[in-house]
Amino acid sequence: MTVSQGPTIAEELRGAGLRVTAARVALLETVRHGDHLDVEAIAAGVRDRVGHISLQAVYDALYALAAAGLIRRIEPADSRARFEGRVGDNHHHVVCRSCGVVADVDCAAGEAPCLTASDDHGFSIDEAEVVYWGLCPDCSIARNS
Ligand SMILES: [Zn+2]
Ligand SMILES: [Zn+2]
């Protein structure tokens, strides 16, 4: 992904129809600079930027930003919800079964929906969400030694 001189975060919030608050700006910055952070890590990042904010307020802001399409929520089975700023490119994730670390995997076949369903049941499908499961390098080493 290339970084372009796009709109400021405040402009993006406004463009998405959201009220601009310091907490929302800090939250979007935290999620974008982070790597699939969970809610606790996001709350810590927001507090570093703007001071105290309740966990409930963090949840509310995450929900609003996700609903507006500015961030993406991923929730691998049996894992904590994570949030990321990489949206709209239909990328996938690889998740470690042991420690839960998450990494991005580019779309398997190019463009959304990326994978063609063998039977679409009449739906017009626009996205395929794929989670690859396995062991990360650290956990593979730990297991084999
Ligand atoms: Zn691991
Ligand atoms: Zn991702």
Coordinates of all heavy atoms in Angstrom, one line a residue, residues 35-134:
D35 N -1.0 -3.1 14.5 CA -1.0 -4.3 13.6 C -2.1 -5.2 14.2 O -1.8 -6.0 15.1 CB 0.4 -4.9 13.6 CG 0.5 -6.1 12.7 OD1 -0.4 -6.3 11.9 OD2 1.4 -6.9 12.9
H36 N -3.3 -5.1 13.7 CA -4.4 -6.0 14.2 C -4.5 -5.9 15.7 O -4.4 -7.0 16.4 CB -4.2 -7.4 13.7 CG -4.0 -7.5 12.2 ND1 -2.8 -7.6 11.6 CD2 -4.9 -7.4 11.2 CE1 -3.0 -7.6 10.3 NE2 -4.2 -7.5 10.0
L37 N -4.6 -4.7 16.3 CA -4.7 -4.6 17.7 C -6.0 -5.0 18.3 O -7.0 -4.9 17.6 CB -4.5 -3.1 18.1 CG -3.2 -2.5 17.6 CD1 -3.2 -1.0 18.0 CD2 -2.0 -3.1 18.3
D38 N -6.0 -5.5 19.5 CA -7.2 -5.8 20.2 C -7.7 -4.6 21.0 O -7.0 -3.5 21.0 CB -7.1 -7.0 21.1 CG -6.1 -6.8 22.2 OD1 -5.8 -5.7 22.6 OD2 -5.7 -7.8 22.8
V39 N -8.9 -4.7 21.6 CA -9.5 -3.5 22.2 C -8.6 -2.9 23.3 O -8.5 -1.7 23.4 CB -10.9 -3.8 22.7 CG1 -11.5 -2.6 23.5 CG2 -11.8 -4.2 21.6
E40 N -8.0 -3.8 24.1 CA -7.2 -3.3 25.2 C -6.0 -2.5 24.7 O -5.6 -1.4 25.2 CB -6.6 -4.5 26.0 CG -7.7 -5.3 26.7 CD -8.2 -4.6 28.0 OE1 -7.5 -3.6 28.4 OE2 -9.3 -5.0 28.5
A41 N -5.4 -3.0 23.6 CA -4.2 -2.3 23.1 C -4.6 -1.0 22.4 O -3.9 0.0 22.5 CB -3.5 -3.2 22.0
I42 N -5.8 -1.0 21.8 CA -6.3 0.3 21.2 C -6.6 1.3 22.3 O -6.2 2.5 22.2 CB -7.5 0.0 20.4 CG1 -7.1 -0.8 19.1 CG2 -8.2 1.3 19.9 CD1 -8.3 -1.5 18.4
A43 N -7.2 0.9 23.4 CA -7.5 1.8 24.5 C -6.3 2.4 25.1 O -6.2 3.6 25.3 CB -8.3 1.0 25.6
A44 N -5.2 1.6 25.2 CA -3.9 2.1 25.7 C -3.4 3.1 24.7 O -2.8 4.2 25.2 CB -2.9 0.9 25.9
G45 N -3.4 2.9 23.4 CA -2.9 3.8 22.5 C -3.7 5.1 22.5 O -3.1 6.2 22.3
V46 N -5.0 5.0 22.6 CA -5.8 6.2 22.7 C -5.5 7.0 23.9 O -5.4 8.3 23.9 CB -7.3 5.9 22.6 CG1 -8.2 7.1 22.8 CG2 -7.7 5.2 21.3
R47 N -5.3 6.3 25.1 CA -5.0 7.0 26.3 C -3.6 7.7 26.2 O -3.5 8.8 26.7 CB -5.0 6.1 27.5 CG -6.4 5.7 27.9 CD -6.5 4.6 29.0 NE -7.8 4.2 29.2 CZ -8.2 2.9 29.3 NH1 -7.3 2.0 29.3 NH2 -9.5 2.6 29.4
D48 N -2.7 7.1 25.5 CA -1.4 7.8 25.3 C -1.6 9.1 24.6 O -0.8 10.0 24.8 CB -0.5 6.9 24.5 CG 0.1 5.8 25.3 OD1 0.0 5.8 26.6 OD2 0.7 4.8 24.7
R49 N -2.5 9.1 23.7 CA -2.7 10.3 22.8 C -3.6 11.4 23.5 O -3.3 12.6 23.4 CB -3.3 9.9 21.5 CG -2.3 9.2 20.6 CD -3.0 8.7 19.3 NE -2.1 8.3 18.3 CZ -1.5 7.1 18.2 NH1 -1.6 6.2 19.1 NH2 -0.7 6.9 17.2
V50 N -4.7 11.0 24.1 CA -5.6 12.0 24.6 C -6.0 11.9 26.0 O -6.9 12.6 26.5 CB -7.0 12.0 23.8 CG1 -6.7 12.3 22.3 CG2 -7.6 10.6 23.9
G51 N -5.3 11.0 26.8 CA -5.6 10.9 28.2 C -6.7 9.9 28.4 O -7.0 9.1 27.6
H52 N -7.3 10.0 29.6 CA -8.3 8.9 30.0 C -9.5 8.8 29.0 O -10.1 9.8 28.6 CB -8.8 9.2 31.4 CG -9.7 8.1 31.8 ND1 -9.3 6.8 32.1 CD2 -11.1 8.0 31.8 CE1 -10.3 6.0 32.3 NE2 -11.5 6.8 32.2
I53 N -9.8 7.6 28.7 CA -11.1 7.3 28.0 C -11.6 6.0 28.5 O -10.8 5.1 28.8 CB -10.9 7.3 26.5 CG1 -12.2 7.0 25.7 CG2 -9.7 6.4 26.1 CD1 -12.1 7.2 24.2
S54 N -12.9 5.9 28.7 CA -13.4 4.6 29.3 C -13.3 3.5 28.2 O -13.4 3.8 27.0 CB -14.8 4.8 29.8 OG -15.7 4.9 28.7
L55 N -13.3 2.3 28.6 CA -13.3 1.2 27.7 C -14.6 1.2 26.8 O -14.6 0.9 25.7 CB -13.1 -0.2 28.4 CG -12.5 -1.3 27.7 CD1 -11.2 -0.9 27.0 CD2 -12.3 -2.5 28.6
Q56 N -15.7 1.6 27.5 CA -17.0 1.6 26.8 C -16.9 2.6 25.7 O -17.4 2.4 24.6 CB -18.1 2.0 27.8 CG -19.5 1.9 27.1 CD -19.8 0.5 26.6 OE1 -19.6 -0.5 27.2 NE2 -20.2 0.5 25.3
A57 N -16.3 3.8 26.0 CA -16.2 4.8 24.9 C -15.3 4.3 23.8 O -15.6 4.6 22.6 CB -15.6 6.1 25.5
V58 N -14.3 3.5 24.1 CA -13.5 2.9 23.0 C -14.3 2.0 22.2 O -14.3 2.0 20.9 CB -12.2 2.2 23.6 CG1 -11.5 1.4 22.6 CG2 -11.3 3.2 24.3
Y59 N -15.1 1.1 22.8 CA -15.9 0.2 22.1 C -16.9 1.0 21.2 O -17.1 0.6 20.0 CB -16.8 -0.7 23.0 CG -16.0 -1.9 23.5 CD1 -15.5 -2.0 24.8 CD2 -15.9 -3.0 22.6 CE1 -14.9 -3.2 25.2 CE2 -15.3 -4.1 23.1 CZ -14.8 -4.2 24.3 OH -14.1 -5.4 24.7
D60 N -17.5 2.0 21.8 CA -18.5 2.8 21.0 C -17.8 3.4 19.7 O -18.4 3.4 18.6 CB -19.1 3.9 21.8 CG -20.0 3.4 22.9 OD1 -20.4 2.2 22.9 OD2 -20.3 4.2 23.9
A61 N -16.6 4.0 19.9 CA -15.9 4.6 18.8 C -15.5 3.6 17.8 O -15.6 3.8 16.6 CB -14.7 5.4 19.3
L62 N -15.0 2.4 18.2 CA -14.7 1.3 17.3 C -15.9 0.9 16.5 O -15.8 0.7 15.3 CB -14.1 0.1 18.1 CG -12.7 0.3 18.6 CD1 -12.4 -0.9 19.6 CD2 -11.7 0.3 17.5
Y63 N -17.0 0.8 17.1 CA -18.2 0.4 16.4 C -18.6 1.4 15.4 O -18.9 1.1 14.2 CB -19.3 0.2 17.4 CG -20.6 -0.3 16.8 CD1 -20.8 -1.6 16.5 CD2 -21.6 0.7 16.4 CE1 -22.0 -2.0 15.9 CE2 -22.7 0.3 15.8 CZ -22.9 -1.1 15.5 OH -24.1 -1.5 14.9
A64 N -18.5 2.7 15.8 CA -18.9 3.7 14.8 C -18.0 3.8 13.6 O -18.4 3.9 12.5 CB -18.9 5.1 15.5
L65 N -16.7 3.6 13.9 CA -15.7 3.7 12.8 C -15.8 2.5 11.9 O -15.6 2.6 10.7 CB -14.3 3.9 13.3 CG -13.9 5.2 14.1 CD1 -12.5 5.3 14.3 CD2 -14.4 6.4 13.3
A66 N -16.0 1.3 12.5 CA -16.2 0.1 11.7 C -17.4 0.2 10.8 O -17.4 -0.2 9.7 CB -16.2 -1.1 12.6
A67 N -18.5 0.7 11.4 CA -19.8 0.8 10.7 C -19.6 1.8 9.5 O -20.2 1.6 8.5 CB -20.9 1.3 11.6
A68 N -18.7 2.8 9.7 CA -18.5 3.8 8.6 C -17.5 3.3 7.6 O -17.2 4.0 6.6 CB -18.0 5.1 9.2
G69 N -16.9 2.1 7.8 CA -15.9 1.6 6.9 C -14.5 2.1 7.0 O -13.7 1.9 6.1
L70 N -14.3 2.8 8.1 CA -12.9 3.4 8.2 C -11.9 2.4 8.8 O -10.7 2.5 8.6 CB -12.9 4.7 9.1 CG -13.7 5.9 8.5 CD1 -13.8 7.0 9.5 CD2 -13.0 6.3 7.2
I71 N -12.4 1.5 9.6 CA -11.6 0.4 10.1 C -12.3 -0.9 9.9 O -13.5 -0.9 9.6 CB -11.3 0.6 11.6 CG1 -12.6 0.6 12.4 CG2 -10.5 1.9 11.8 CD1 -12.3 0.6 13.9
R72 N -11.6 -2.0 10.0 CA -12.2 -3.3 9.8 C -12.0 -4.1 11.0 O -10.9 -4.1 11.7 CB -11.5 -3.9 8.6 CG -11.9 -5.3 8.3 CD -11.3 -5.8 7.0 NE -11.4 -7.2 6.8 CZ -10.7 -7.9 5.9 NH1 -9.9 -7.3 5.1 NH2 -10.8 -9.2 5.8
R73 N -13.0 -4.8 11.4 CA -13.0 -5.7 12.5 C -12.8 -7.1 12.0 O -13.4 -7.6 11.1 CB -14.3 -5.6 13.3 CG -14.5 -6.6 14.4 CD -16.0 -6.6 14.7 NE -16.3 -7.6 15.7 CZ -16.5 -7.3 17.0 NH1 -16.4 -6.0 17.4 NH2 -16.7 -8.2 17.9
I74 N -11.9 -7.8 12.6 CA -11.7 -9.2 12.3 C -11.8 -10.0 13.6 O -11.4 -9.5 14.7 CB -10.4 -9.5 11.6 CG1 -9.2 -9.1 12.4 CG2 -10.3 -8.9 10.2 CD1 -7.9 -9.6 11.9
E75 N -12.4 -11.1 13.5 CA -12.7 -11.9 14.8 C -12.5 -13.4 14.5 O -13.5 -14.1 14.2 CB -14.1 -11.6 15.3 CG -14.2 -12.0 16.7 CD -15.4 -11.4 17.4 OE1 -16.2 -10.7 16.7 OE2 -15.5 -11.5 18.6
P76 N -11.2 -13.8 14.4 CA -11.0 -15.2 14.2 C -11.7 -16.1 15.3 O -11.8 -15.6 16.4 CB -9.5 -15.4 14.3 CG -8.9 -14.0 14.1 CD -10.0 -13.1 14.7
A77 N -12.1 -17.3 14.9 CA -12.8 -18.1 15.9 C -12.0 -18.3 17.1 O -10.8 -18.5 17.1 CB -13.1 -19.5 15.2
D78 N -12.6 -18.2 18.3 CA -12.0 -18.4 19.6 C -10.9 -17.4 19.9 O -10.0 -17.6 20.7 CB -11.4 -19.8 19.7 CG -12.5 -20.9 19.6 OD1 -13.6 -20.6 20.1 OD2 -12.2 -21.9 19.1
S79 N -10.9 -16.3 19.2 CA -9.9 -15.3 19.4 C -10.5 -13.9 19.7 O -11.7 -13.7 19.4 CB -9.1 -15.2 18.1 OG -8.0 -14.3 18.2
R80 N -9.8 -13.0 20.3 CA -10.3 -11.7 20.6 C -10.5 -11.0 19.3 O -9.8 -11.2 18.3 CB -9.2 -10.9 21.4 CG -8.9 -11.5 22.8 CD -8.0 -10.5 23.5 NE -6.8 -10.3 22.8 CZ -5.7 -11.1 22.8 NH1 -5.7 -12.2 23.5 NH2 -4.6 -10.8 22.1
A81 N -11.4 -10.0 19.3 CA -11.7 -9.2 18.1 C -10.4 -8.3 17.9 O -9.9 -7.8 18.9 CB -12.9 -8.3 18.3
R82 N -10.0 -8.1 16.7 CA -8.9 -7.2 16.4 C -9.5 -6.2 15.4 O -10.4 -6.4 14.7 CB -7.8 -8.0 15.7 CG -7.4 -9.3 16.3 CD -6.8 -9.1 17.7 NE -6.3 -10.3 18.2 CZ -5.1 -10.7 18.0 NH1 -4.2 -10.0 17.4 NH2 -4.7 -11.9 18.4
F83 N -8.7 -5.1 15.3 CA -9.1 -4.0 14.4 C -7.9 -3.6 13.6 O -6.8 -3.6 14.1 CB -9.7 -2.8 15.2 CG -11.0 -3.2 15.9 CD1 -11.0 -3.8 17.1 CD2 -12.2 -2.9 15.3 CE1 -12.2 -4.1 17.8 CE2 -13.4 -3.3 15.9 CZ -13.4 -3.9 17.1
E84 N -8.2 -3.2 12.3 CA -7.1 -2.8 11.5 C -7.6 -1.7 10.6 O -8.8 -1.5 10.4 CB -6.6 -3.9 10.6 CG -7.6 -4.4 9.6 CD -7.1 -5.6 8.8 OE1 -5.9 -5.8 8.8 OE2 -7.9 -6.3 8.2
G85 N -6.6 -0.9 10.1 CA -7.0 0.3 9.3 C -6.9 0.0 7.8 O -7.2 0.8 7.0
R86 N -6.5 -1.3 7.5 CA -6.4 -1.6 6.1 C -7.8 -2.2 5.6 O -8.2 -3.3 6.0 CB -5.4 -2.7 5.9 CG -5.0 -3.0 4.5 CD -3.9 -4.1 4.5 NE -3.9 -4.7 3.1 CZ -3.1 -5.7 2.8 NH1 -2.2 -6.2 3.7 NH2 -3.1 -6.2 1.6
V87 N -8.5 -1.3 4.9 CA -9.9 -1.7 4.6 C -10.1 -1.7 3.1 O -9.3 -1.0 2.4 CB -10.9 -0.7 5.2 CG1 -10.9 -0.8 6.7 CG2 -10.7 0.7 4.8
G88 N -11.1 -2.4 2.6 CA -11.5 -2.3 1.3 C -10.7 -3.0 0.2 O -10.9 -2.8 -1.0
D89 N -9.6 -3.7 0.7 CA -8.8 -4.4 -0.3 C -9.0 -5.9 -0.3 O -8.3 -6.6 -0.9 CB -7.3 -4.0 -0.1 CG -6.8 -4.6 1.2 OD1 -7.5 -5.1 2.0 OD2 -5.5 -4.5 1.3
N90 N -10.0 -6.4 0.5 CA -10.3 -7.8 0.5 C -9.1 -8.7 0.8 O -9.0 -9.8 0.3 CB -10.8 -8.1 -0.9 CG -11.6 -9.4 -1.0 OD1 -12.6 -9.6 -0.2 ND2 -11.2 -10.4 -1.8
H91 N -8.2 -8.2 1.7 CA -7.1 -9.1 2.0 C -7.5 -10.1 3.1 O -8.6 -10.0 3.7 CB -5.9 -8.3 2.5 CG -6.0 -7.7 3.8 ND1 -6.6 -6.5 4.1 CD2 -5.5 -8.1 5.1 CE1 -6.5 -6.2 5.4 NE2 -5.9 -7.1 6.0
H92 N -6.8 -11.1 3.3 CA -7.1 -12.2 4.2 C -6.1 -12.2 5.3 O -5.2 -11.4 5.4 CB -7.0 -13.5 3.4 CG -7.8 -13.5 2.2 ND1 -9.2 -13.2 2.2 CD2 -7.5 -13.7 0.9 CE1 -9.6 -13.3 0.9 NE2 -8.6 -13.6 0.1
H93 N -6.3 -13.2 6.2 CA -5.4 -13.2 7.4 C -4.9 -14.6 7.7 O -5.6 -15.6 7.4 CB -6.2 -12.7 8.6 CG -6.5 -11.2 8.5 ND1 -7.7 -10.8 8.1 CD2 -5.7 -10.2 8.7 CE1 -7.7 -9.4 8.1 NE2 -6.4 -9.0 8.4
V94 N -3.7 -14.7 8.2 CA -3.2 -15.9 8.7 C -3.1 -15.8 10.2 O -2.7 -14.8 10.7 CB -1.9 -16.3 8.1 CG1 -0.8 -15.3 8.3 CG2 -1.4 -17.7 8.6
V95 N -3.6 -16.8 11.0 CA -3.7 -16.7 12.4 C -3.0 -17.9 13.0 O -3.2 -19.0 12.6 CB -5.2 -16.7 12.9 CG1 -5.3 -16.6 14.4 CG2 -6.0 -15.6 12.2
C96 N -2.2 -17.6 14.1 CA -1.5 -18.7 14.7 C -2.4 -19.4 15.7 O -3.0 -18.7 16.6 CB -0.2 -18.2 15.5 SG 0.6 -19.4 16.4
R97 N -2.5 -20.7 15.6 CA -3.4 -21.4 16.5 C -2.9 -21.4 18.0 O -3.6 -21.6 18.9 CB -3.4 -22.9 16.1 CG -4.2 -23.2 14.9 CD -4.3 -24.7 14.7 NE -4.8 -25.1 13.4 CZ -6.1 -24.9 13.0 NH1 -7.0 -24.5 13.9 NH2 -6.5 -25.2 11.8
S98 N -1.6 -21.2 18.1 CA -1.0 -21.2 19.5 C -1.1 -19.9 20.2 O -1.7 -19.7 21.3 CB 0.4 -21.8 19.4 OG 1.0 -21.8 20.7
C99 N -0.5 -18.9 19.6 CA -0.4 -17.6 20.3 C -1.4 -16.5 19.8 O -1.5 -15.5 20.4 CB 1.1 -17.0 20.2 SG 1.5 -16.5 18.5
G100 N -2.0 -16.8 18.7 CA -3.1 -15.9 18.2 C -2.6 -14.7 17.4 O -3.4 -13.9 17.0
V101 N -1.3 -14.7 17.1 CA -0.8 -13.6 16.3 C -1.4 -13.6 14.9 O -1.8 -14.7 14.4 CB 0.8 -13.6 16.2 CG1 1.2 -14.8 15.3 CG2 1.3 -12.3 15.7
V102 N -1.7 -12.4 14.4 CA -2.4 -12.3 13.1 C -1.5 -11.6 12.1 O -0.9 -10.6 12.5 CB -3.7 -11.5 13.3 CG1 -4.4 -11.3 11.9 CG2 -4.6 -12.1 14.3
A103 N -1.5 -12.0 10.9 CA -0.7 -11.3 9.8 C -1.6 -11.2 8.6 O -2.5 -12.0 8.4 CB 0.6 -12.0 9.5
D104 N -1.3 -10.2 7.8 CA -2.1 -10.0 6.5 C -1.6 -10.9 5.4 O -0.4 -11.2 5.3 CB -1.9 -8.6 6.0 CG -2.7 -7.6 6.9 OD1 -3.7 -8.0 7.5 OD2 -2.3 -6.4 6.9
V105 N -2.5 -11.4 4.6 CA -2.2 -12.2 3.4 C -2.9 -11.5 2.3 O -4.1 -11.3 2.4 CB -2.7 -13.6 3.6 CG1 -2.4 -14.4 2.3 CG2 -2.1 -14.3 4.8
D106 N -2.2 -11.1 1.3 CA -2.9 -10.5 0.1 C -3.9 -11.4 -0.5 O -3.8 -12.6 -0.4 CB -1.9 -10.0 -0.9 CG -1.2 -8.8 -0.4 OD1 -1.7 -8.0 0.4 OD2 0.0 -8.5 -0.9
C107 N -4.9 -10.8 -1.1 CA -5.9 -11.5 -1.8 C -5.4 -12.7 -2.6 O -4.4 -12.5 -3.3 CB -6.7 -10.5 -2.7 SG -8.2 -11.0 -3.2
A108 N -6.0 -13.8 -2.5 CA -5.4 -15.0 -3.1 C -5.5 -14.9 -4.7 O -4.5 -15.4 -5.3 CB -6.2 -16.2 -2.7
A109 N -6.5 -14.4 -5.2 CA -6.6 -14.4 -6.7 C -6.8 -13.1 -7.3 O -7.3 -13.0 -8.5 CB -7.8 -15.4 -7.0
G110 N -6.4 -12.0 -6.7 CA -6.5 -10.7 -7.3 C -7.6 -9.8 -6.8 O -7.4 -9.2 -5.8
E111 N -8.7 -9.8 -7.4 CA -9.7 -8.8 -7.1 C -10.9 -9.4 -6.3 O -11.2 -10.6 -6.4 CB -10.3 -8.2 -8.3 CG -9.2 -7.6 -9.2 CD -9.6 -6.5 -10.0 OE1 -10.8 -6.4 -10.4 OE2 -8.8 -5.6 -10.3
A112 N -11.5 -8.5 -5.5 CA -12.7 -9.0 -4.7 C -13.7 -9.5 -5.7 O -13.9 -8.9 -6.8 CB -13.3 -7.8 -4.0
P113 N -14.5 -10.5 -5.4 CA -14.4 -11.3 -4.1 C -13.3 -12.3 -4.1 O -13.3 -13.1 -3.1 CB -15.8 -12.0 -4.1 CG -16.1 -12.2 -5.5 CD -15.5 -11.1 -6.3
C114 N -12.4 -12.3 -5.0 CA -11.2 -13.1 -4.9 C -11.4 -14.6 -5.1 O -10.8 -15.2 -6.0 CB -10.5 -12.8 -3.6 SG -9.3 -14.0 -3.1
L115 N -12.3 -15.2 -4.4 CA -12.6 -16.6 -4.6 C -14.0 -16.7 -5.2 O -14.9 -16.1 -4.7 CB -12.5 -17.4 -3.3 CG -11.1 -17.3 -2.6 CD1 -11.2 -17.9 -1.2 CD2 -10.1 -17.9 -3.5
T116 N -14.1 -17.6 -6.1 CA -15.4 -17.8 -6.7 C -16.1 -19.0 -6.0 O -15.5 -20.1 -6.0 CB -15.3 -18.1 -8.2 OG1 -14.6 -17.0 -8.8 CG2 -16.7 -18.2 -8.9
A117 N -17.3 -18.8 -5.5 CA -18.0 -19.9 -4.8 C -18.4 -20.9 -5.8 O -18.8 -20.6 -6.9 CB -19.2 -19.3 -4.1
S118 N -18.3 -22.2 -5.4 CA -18.7 -23.3 -6.3 C -20.2 -23.2 -6.5 O -20.7 -23.6 -7.6 CB -18.3 -24.6 -5.7 OG -18.8 -24.8 -4.4
D119 N -20.9 -22.7 -5.6 CA -22.4 -22.5 -5.7 C -22.7 -21.2 -5.0 O -22.6 -21.1 -3.8 CB -23.1 -23.6 -5.1 CG -24.7 -23.5 -5.3 OD1 -25.1 -22.4 -5.7 OD2 -25.4 -24.4 -4.9
D120 N -23.1 -20.1 -5.8 CA -23.4 -18.8 -5.1 C -24.8 -18.7 -4.6 O -25.2 -17.7 -4.0 CB -23.1 -17.7 -6.0 CG -24.0 -17.7 -7.3 OD1 -25.0 -18.3 -7.3 OD2 -23.7 -17.0 -8.2
H121 N -25.6 -19.8 -4.7 CA -27.0 -19.8 -4.2 C -27.8 -18.6 -4.6 O -28.7 -18.1 -3.9 CB -27.0 -19.9 -2.6 CG -26.4 -21.2 -2.1 ND1 -27.1 -22.3 -2.0 CD2 -25.1 -21.5 -1.8 CE1 -26.3 -23.3 -1.6 NE2 -25.1 -22.8 -1.4
G122 N -27.4 -18.0 -5.7 CA -28.1 -16.8 -6.2 C -27.7 -15.5 -5.6 O -28.3 -14.5 -6.0
F123 N -26.8 -15.5 -4.7 CA -26.3 -14.3 -4.1 C -25.4 -13.6 -5.1 O -24.7 -14.2 -5.9 CB -25.5 -14.6 -2.8 CG -26.3 -15.1 -1.7 CD1 -27.2 -16.1 -1.7 CD2 -26.1 -14.4 -0.4 CE1 -27.9 -16.5 -0.6 CE2 -26.8 -14.9 0.7 CZ -27.7 -15.9 0.6
S124 N -25.3 -12.3 -5.0 CA -24.3 -11.6 -5.7 C -23.2 -11.4 -4.6 O -23.3 -10.5 -3.7 CB -24.7 -10.3 -6.3 OG -24.7 -9.2 -5.4
I125 N -22.1 -12.1 -4.7 CA -21.1 -12.2 -3.7 C -20.0 -11.1 -4.0 O -19.6 -11.0 -5.1 CB -20.4 -13.6 -3.7 CG1 -21.4 -14.6 -3.2 CG2 -19.2 -13.6 -2.8 CD1 -21.0 -16.0 -3.3
D126 N -19.7 -10.3 -3.0 CA -18.7 -9.2 -3.2 C -17.4 -9.4 -2.4 O -16.5 -8.6 -2.5 CB -19.3 -7.8 -3.0 CG -19.9 -7.7 -1.6 OD1 -19.4 -8.3 -0.7 OD2 -20.9 -6.9 -1.5
E127 N -17.4 -10.4 -1.5 CA -16.2 -10.5 -0.7 C -16.1 -12.0 -0.3 O -17.1 -12.6 0.0 CB -16.3 -9.6 0.6 CG -15.1 -9.7 1.5 CD -15.3 -8.8 2.7 OE1 -16.2 -8.0 2.8 OE2 -14.4 -8.9 3.6
A128 N -14.9 -12.4 -0.2 CA -14.6 -13.7 0.4 C -13.6 -13.5 1.5 O -12.5 -12.9 1.3 CB -14.0 -14.7 -0.7
E129 N -14.0 -13.9 2.7 CA -13.1 -13.7 3.8 C -12.5 -15.0 4.2 O -13.2 -16.0 4.5 CB -14.0 -13.2 5.0 CG -13.1 -12.7 6.2 CD -14.0 -12.1 7.3 OE1 -15.0 -11.5 7.0 OE2 -13.6 -12.3 8.4
V130 N -11.2 -15.1 4.1 CA -10.5 -16.3 4.3 C -9.6 -16.2 5.5 O -8.9 -15.2 5.7 CB -9.6 -16.7 3.1 CG1 -8.8 -17.9 3.3 CG2 -10.5 -16.8 1.8
V131 N -9.6 -17.2 6.4 CA -8.6 -17.2 7.5 C -7.8 -18.5 7.3 O -8.3 -19.6 7.3 CB -9.3 -17.2 8.8 CG1 -8.3 -17.3 10.0 CG2 -10.2 -16.0 9.0
Y132 N -6.5 -18.3 7.2 CA -5.6 -19.4 7.2 C -5.1 -19.6 8.6 O -4.7 -18.7 9.3 CB -4.3 -19.0 6.3 CG -4.6 -18.6 4.9 CD1 -4.9 -17.3 4.6 CD2 -4.6 -19.6 3.9 CE1 -5.1 -16.9 3.2 CE2 -4.9 -19.2 2.6 CZ -5.1 -17.9 2.2 OH -5.4 -17.5 0.9
W133 N -5.2 -20.9 9.0 CA -4.8 -21.2 10.4 C -3.5 -22.0 10.3 O -3.3 -22.8 9.4 CB -5.8 -22.1 11.1 CG -7.1 -21.3 11.3 CD1 -8.2 -21.3 10.5 CD2 -7.4 -20.5 12.5 NE1 -9.2 -20.5 11.1 CE2 -8.7 -20.0 12.3 CE3 -6.7 -20.2 13.6 CZ2 -9.3 -19.2 13.2 CZ3 -7.3 -19.4 14.6 CH2 -8.6 -18.9 14.4
G134 N -2.7 -21.8 11.4 CA -1.4 -22.6 11.4 C -0.6 -22.2 12.6 O -1.2 -21.6 13.6

